Amino acid sequence: SYYVGTMGTHTEIKKVAEEKVTLPCHHQLGLPEKDTLDIEWLLTDHEGNQKVVITYSSHHVYNNLTEEQKGRVAFASNFLAGDASLQIEPLKPSDEGRYTCKVKNSGRYVWSYVILKVLVRPSKPKCELEGELTEGSDLTLQCESSSGTEPIVYSWQRVQEKGGEDERLPPKSKIDYNHPGRVLLQNLTMSSSGLYQCTAGNEAGKESCVVRVTVRYVQSVGMIAGAVTGMVAGALLIFLLVWLLIRRKDKKRYEEEERPNEIREDAEAPKARLVKPSSSSSGSRSSRSGSSSTRSTANSGSCSQQTPCAEAARRPGLAAHVYGPLGPEARGSEPKKAPHATLTKAENTPSTIPSQSRAFQTV
């Protein structure tokens, strides 16, 4: 699961994260005098910082020296017998760096160097589509992993389904070498439909994602657009009809409310009111005055033609009998009705009262 290369006293190890690794360190200094044996592991990171990982001194092991590796580091075997190898579990990307194993006993030293590289598996890529899924158009397939040890290699292929499609990409497909996770599918056809899988891999492992491509007819797109347009037009027409009905109903109700306030031509005339006696008397007197004036005008013409005015002045009784006095008593009471025979006689008898006297009496 890992590659070990030895260059003299140097060893290089590549290991996948979350696994267990053993960094080798062997010596023969502990056999003569075990009481003076000292072992120390040091880590130098990429920035040049150095820290102690684990030590053995004065018959004690100290392995909780750093917070990052606390509880994950230990001696892999019997370090007193000559195997001071270091074990790290589980492995993390922060454990990557250069390790130095230093063994000292009775003035003699042994040094060992191990370069540890932690590989991170690519994260599950995300598959996406860019373009129109219609016949004759172009479509771009792309995928990318958010994390993982570089370099990450991407590859696209078709997934075989029940229909038995070819696993190769369509003939008119182009790979974008500047962005290896992008593939261009040109001039789509119905045979381009299917499942496409993108695989992202590096030294640590592989991850993949799948996306489905469904190519549609251009005619079907036009039919869908026409159906949507028809639905919108129908909804607007229904709304307009409802609005017209509501407005017509409101107008009819308004006309019914306003009709009683209008004056009809065929309506009956208002009935006459009852008039008080005083008003009736004055009206009668006014009517009599008007008739008297008319009569006096007619009599005056007849006086000038048939009878002299002086002769008419000698007959005061007829004038007094027809008109009567105009005093306060006459105003307060209704005029008495004369018998029918008297009125007939008076109408048939020509009036001989001078026009000036009758005008004075009717004022």
Side-chain angles (χ1 to χ4, degrees):
S1 58
Y2 63 88
Y3 169 79
V4 177
T6 303
M7 296 179 295
T9 57
H10 292 76
T11 302
E12 182 179 350
I13 298 177
K14 294 179 180 180
K15 195 71 175 179
V16 179
E18 304 300 327
E19 294 184 358
K20 179 175 67 173
V21 65
T22 300
L23 307 183
C25 180
H26 300 277
H27 68 92
Q28 296 179 354
L29 301 180
L31 297 177
E33 300 178 9
K34 297 181 180 180
D35 295 338
T36 59
L37 180 63
D38 291 331
I39 303 174
E40 185 179 36
W41 277 93
L42 303 174
L43 170 61
T44 304
D45 57 20
H46 295 290
E47 297 179 356
N49 301 320
Q50 192 176 68
K51 55 186 176 181
V52 180
V53 178
I54 188 173
T55 62
Y56 170 76
S57 179
S58 303
H59 306 282
H60 292 285
V61 177
Y62 303 93
N63 59 355
N64 295 325
L65 301 178
T66 62
E67 290 295 331
E68 295 84 358
Q69 296 177 323
K70 184 177 181 180
R72 297 189 297 112
V73 293
F75 286 108
S77 184
N78 187 0
F79 53 89
L80 297 178
D83 188 359
S85 298
L86 176 65
Q87 178 178 297
I88 305 174
E89 182 184 11
L91 193 62
K92 294 184 177 181
S94 60
D95 297 330
E96 186 172 281
R98 179 181 178 182
Y99 288 81
T100 302
C101 176
K102 183 173 63 174
V103 182
K104 181 179 69 173
N105 191 2
S106 301
R108 293 182 298 172
Y109 294 86
V110 174
W111 301 84
S112 298
Y113 300 97
V114 179
I115 298 175
L116 176 63
K117 186 175 183 180
V118 180
L119 304 177
V120 180
R121 188 188 304 271
S123 61
K124 188 175 181 62
K126 182 179 180 181
C127 292
E128 295 179 343
L129 302 177
E130 291 184 1
E132 296 183 1
L133 294 171
T134 56
E135 283 188 309
S137 61
D138 297 339
L139 181 66
T140 301
L141 309 178
Q142 65 176 4
C143 74
E144 185 179 1
S145 296
S146 59
S147 62
T149 302
E150 297 292 343
I152 300 177
V153 179
Y154 297 92
S155 62
W156 280 93
Q157 66 179 1
R158 295 187 66 173
V159 179
Q160 187 174 4
E161 297 184 282
K162 296 181 180 179
E165 295 90 346
D166 191 359
E167 294 183 359
R168 293 177 299 178
L169 295 176
K172 294 183 179 181
S173 301
K174 293 184 178 180
I175 300 175
D176 188 353
Y177 292 99
N178 295 327
H179 302 86
R182 296 170 62 94
V183 173
L184 177 63
L185 305 181
Q186 294 180 323
N187 194 14
L188 292 177
T189 61
M190 294 302 299
S191 61
S192 302
S193 300
L195 289 178
Y196 291 77
Q197 175 179 292
C198 174
T199 302
N202 59 6
E203 295 181 87
K206 297 179 180 180
E207 290 290 342
S208 61
C209 61
V210 178
V211 64
R212 178 174 290 277
V213 175
T214 304
V215 182
R216 299 189 300 268
Y217 285 110
V218 178
Q219 292 83 354
S220 62
V221 175
M223 292 176 62
I224 293 173
V228 172
T229 304
M231 291 176 62
V232 173
L236 292 176
L237 181 59
I238 293 173
F239 175 77
L240 180 61
L241 290 176
V242 172
W243 180 76
L244 290 176
L245 289 175
I246 294 175
R247 184 167 182 180
R248 182 177 180 182
K249 186 176 180 180
D250 293 342
K251 183 177 180 181
K252 185 176 180 181
R253 183 171 54 188
Y254 175 77
E255 290 177 353
E256 290 178 354
E257 292 177 355
E258 292 294 330
R259 189 173 294 139
N261 297 330
E262 297 178 358
I263 300 176
R264 299 180 180 178
E265 295 180 357
D266 57 347
E268 295 181 0
K271 295 182 180 181
R273 298 181 180 178
L274 295 177
V275 185
K276 293 183 180 181
S278 59
S279 301
S280 178
S281 300
S282 59
S284 300
R285 287 193 300 270
S286 300
S287 299
R288 282 190 202 139
S289 301
S291 59
S292 300
S293 301
T294 306
R295 288 176 183 172
S296 58
T297 305
N299 291 336
S300 128
S302 60
C303 178
S304 60
Q305 296 177 3
Q306 299 177 0
T307 309
C309 294
E311 183 181 355
R314 298 193 202 102
R315 301 172 62 182
L318 182 58
H321 176 73
V322 175
Y323 295 101
L326 296 175
E329 296 179 357
R331 296 178 183 175
S333 62
E334 295 182 358
K336 294 182 179 181
K337 294 183 179 180
H340 179 70
T342 310
L343 292 175
T344 305
K345 184 178 179 181
E347 292 176 358
N348 296 331
T349 306
S351 178
T352 56
I353 300 175
S355 58
Q356 294 182 353
S357 300
R358 284 196 297 271
F360 177 80
Q361 290 179 0
T362 56
V363 173

